[in-house]
């Protein structure tokens, strides 16, 4: 089982070291190969996604990704910025389905910024379309930009678009995920989030999702405008089961949902293509504000590695072992600073990784 390990920038290298530690003690035949990506790759090779890194990713069964970016690259021409690496990987590998589970572990109920009763028992799944929408629309309004900015320009624009097959395939992914979850006791409902009242693209989205729903009579479908969804996520998050939405709305809503779970440092994600090859990464970024201090929470990356074992490598038992170990360290009261509160034990990134390894038994 070949895994491309792409730590990236900022806390990316710190959290990845912990996930690799965990993977290495599982006793599985994993071949891990590391490559540069993002700002680190730009420094070494002049491009955030060098050919060697892309080829490694393409040849791998799965990709474990840390995070990319730093404010110091904000003046670079856009195609050279670190964040383009992740967009390039998504596009080149056809990773169109992004899974972001938001689960509130019982041990972290009080770390959430919402009241305990609102998040206790929370288990929702956000499915974000990842290779379309306004992030990939053409043409983009780049007129006079030489450094990523628009000196003297009077306007800028981006184009929102979705095709029927793009919406159909993500809708199928959502209905199938809801069906799988239903088998384990959830409600079996998909909420499609759109802005059909204002945007043509999202009226189309709504119509296509409604068509696809005909094939899943066992799964309920409802529709919600994105502004209302943003409100409902903090008002009554447990009312959701599976949320499916476009690239931009999904980007924003999944960050919002991360806070329900206590910290963005807890939220893993999987991005899959039609062959179940996947890229697994924490939902957070490179956190330049805390990089190099050894305080980042590695659990989102470790949980992403568990998702990788489950979805791309067919190692359900190993995935569950990791998830159980994470629960165990939380029960032991260990917390990185993002989750720390009185009565718990503050640990750093490496100590947290070590504790998970130990808890694997
Ligand atoms: P961020 O997610 O990096 O950080 C937001 C806040 O959350 C910061 O205060 C940070 O300290 C905290 N945080 C994030 N991860 C944490 C962790 N594991 N443990 C503890 N605290 C954590 O978002 P940002 O500050 O908006 O962006 C920073 C850089 O990351 C930018 O260059 C941005 O473009 C990039 N970014 C990259 C990705 C990616 O690689 N997929 C995703 C989002 C942002």
């Amino acid at each position: 089982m070949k895994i491309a390990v792409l730590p990236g920038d900022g806390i990316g290298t710190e959290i990845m070291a912990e996930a690799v530690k965990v993977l290495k003690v599982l006793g599985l035949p994993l071949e891990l190969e590391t490559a540069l990506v993002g700002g680190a790759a730009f420094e070494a090779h002049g491009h955030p996604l060098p050919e060697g890194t892309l080829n490694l990713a393409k040849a791998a069964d799965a990709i474990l990704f840390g995070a990319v970016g730093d404010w110091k690259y904000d003046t670079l021409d856009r195609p050279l910025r670190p964040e383009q690496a992740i967009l390039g990987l998504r596009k080149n590998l056809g990773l169109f389905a992004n899974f972001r589970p938001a689960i509130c572990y019982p041990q972290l109920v009080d770390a959430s910024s919402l009241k305990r009763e609102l998040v206790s028992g929370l288990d929702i799944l956000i499915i974000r379309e990842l290779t379309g929408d306004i992030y990939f629309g053409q043409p983009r309004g780049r007129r006079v930009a030489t450094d990523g900015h628009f000196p003297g320009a009077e306007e800028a624009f981006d184009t929102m678009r979705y095709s029927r097959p793009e919406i159909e395939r993500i809708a199928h992914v959502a209905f199938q995920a809801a069906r799988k979850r239903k088998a384990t006791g959830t409600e079996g409902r998909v909420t499609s989030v759109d802005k059909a009242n204002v945007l043509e693209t999202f009226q189309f989205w709504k119509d296509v999702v409604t068509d696809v729903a005909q094939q899943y009579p066992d799964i309920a479908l409802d529709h919600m405008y994105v502004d209302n969804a943003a409100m409902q996520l903090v008002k009554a998050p447990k009312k959701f089961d599976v949320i499916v939405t476009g690239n931009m709305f999904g980007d924003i809503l999944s960050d919002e949902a991360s806070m329900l779970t206590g910290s963005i440092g807890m939220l893993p994600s999987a991005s899959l293509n039609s062959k179940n090859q996947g890229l697994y990464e924490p939902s957070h970024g490179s956190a330049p504000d805390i990089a190099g201090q050894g305080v980042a929470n590695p659990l989102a990356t470790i949980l992403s590695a568990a998702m990788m074992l489950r979805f791309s490598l067919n190692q359900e038992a190993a995935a569950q072992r990791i998830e159980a170990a994470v629960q165990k360290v939380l029960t032991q009261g260990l917390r990185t600073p993002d989750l720390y509160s009185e009565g718990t034990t503050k640990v750093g990134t490496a100590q947290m990784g070590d504790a998970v390894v130990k808890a694997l038994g």
Side-chain angles (χ1 to χ4, degrees):
M1 292 179 266
K2 278 194 191 156
I3 302 170
V5 177
L6 311 180
D9 309 318
I11 61 167
T13 50
E14 302 167 43
I15 53 182
M16 186 60 80
E18 304 315 310
V20 166
K21 241 185 223 173
V22 171
L23 285 172
K24 282 192 170 161
V25 297
L26 293 173
L28 294 172
L30 304 176
E31 261 179 57
L32 307 178
E33 199 172 327
T34 303
L36 295 176
V37 73
F42 174 77
E43 301 290 349
H45 304 291
H47 197 278
L49 183 59
E51 222 178 297
T53 302
L54 180 59
N55 289 339
L56 179 74
K58 279 183 176 166
D61 297 307
I63 301 144
L64 192 58
F65 189 93
V68 291
D70 192 291
W71 315 126
K72 72 179 176 190
Y73 301 113
D74 281 0
T75 52
L76 280 179
D77 197 11
R78 200 167 289 281
L80 295 178
R81 292 195 199 169
E83 292 79 6
Q84 293 301 312
I86 186 78
L87 296 180
L89 283 166
R90 287 172 187 164
K91 199 76 195 167
N92 273 287
L93 277 77
L95 304 167
F96 70 93
N98 185 226
F99 284 62
R100 299 201 187 192
I103 296 171
C104 186
Y105 290 101
Q107 302 89 337
L108 296 181
V109 167
D110 293 318
S112 170
S113 40
L114 294 194
K115 289 188 198 109
R116 147 184 280 276
E117 60 270 25
L118 289 183
V119 293
S120 173
L122 178 82
D123 175 1
I124 63 177
L125 174 63
I126 299 186
I127 297 183
R128 166 187 171 197
E129 199 290 331
L130 209 54
T131 53
D133 205 349
I134 197 161
Y135 293 177
F136 289 97
Q138 294 293 334
R140 292 164 67 178
R142 305 185 73 252
R143 294 237 165 111
V144 283
T146 49
D147 60 353
H149 296 275
F150 299 88
E154 294 299 324
E155 64 165 7
F157 59 90
D158 301 272
T159 333
M160 180 175 270
R161 66 163 287 288
Y162 265 120
S163 68
R164 179 176 289 275
E166 282 173 328
I167 302 169
E168 282 174 349
R169 66 182 180 178
I170 195 73
H172 280 294
V173 166
F175 285 112
Q176 283 162 17
R179 193 174 263 172
K180 263 197 198 153
R181 284 165 60 89
K182 194 178 178 184
T184 65
T186 64
E187 193 191 340
R189 188 161 50 88
V190 170
T191 303
S192 171
V193 171
D194 62 57
K195 191 71 186 172
N197 50 342
V198 178
L199 298 168
E200 295 302 341
T201 312
F202 274 92
Q203 180 59 55
F204 183 56
W205 170 283
K206 188 173 180 176
D207 294 347
V208 175
V209 173
T210 305
D211 286 349
V212 173
Q214 307 294 320
Q215 297 173 46
Y216 300 89
D218 51 323
I219 302 299
L221 169 68
D222 53 28
H223 303 274
M224 196 179 279
Y225 296 139
V226 62
D227 38 351
N228 186 22
M231 183 175 78
Q232 296 301 334
L233 266 176
V234 288
K235 189 176 171 217
K238 284 190 274 184
K239 286 198 177 155
F240 292 104
D241 178 4
V242 174
I243 293 176
V244 64
T245 189
N247 204 344
M248 181 164 64
F249 299 156
D251 193 0
I252 299 163
L253 293 181
S254 57
D255 263 29
E256 185 188 359
S258 73
M259 277 320 292
L260 309 175
T261 69
S263 166
I264 195 160
M266 289 301 300
L267 209 69
S269 81
S271 305
L272 303 177
N273 63 19
S274 46
K275 297 178 291 187
N276 258 7
Q277 188 193 24
L279 181 146
Y280 299 83
E281 57 172 334
S283 296
H284 57 75
S286 55
D289 55 334
I290 56 165
Q293 298 172 25
V295 294
N297 185 346
L299 294 180
T301 314
I302 291 171
L303 290 168
S304 300
M307 286 183 92
M308 172 179 82
L309 291 164
R310 171 171 297 125
F311 288 121
S312 289
L313 305 177
N314 213 12
Q315 298 291 328
E316 176 64 32
Q320 285 186 17
R321 236 182 113 199
I322 295 178
E323 287 161 355
V326 167
Q327 290 251 23
K328 198 166 165 190
V329 298
L330 293 174
T331 304
Q332 288 163 357
L334 305 184
R335 302 281 187 276
T336 41
D338 53 309
L339 292 171
Y340 174 76
S341 61
E342 236 179 63
T344 61
T345 309
K346 200 185 275 184
V347 294
T349 311
Q351 278 170 291
M352 186 57 110
D354 291 343
V356 174
V357 167
K358 206 168 156 204
L360 284 169

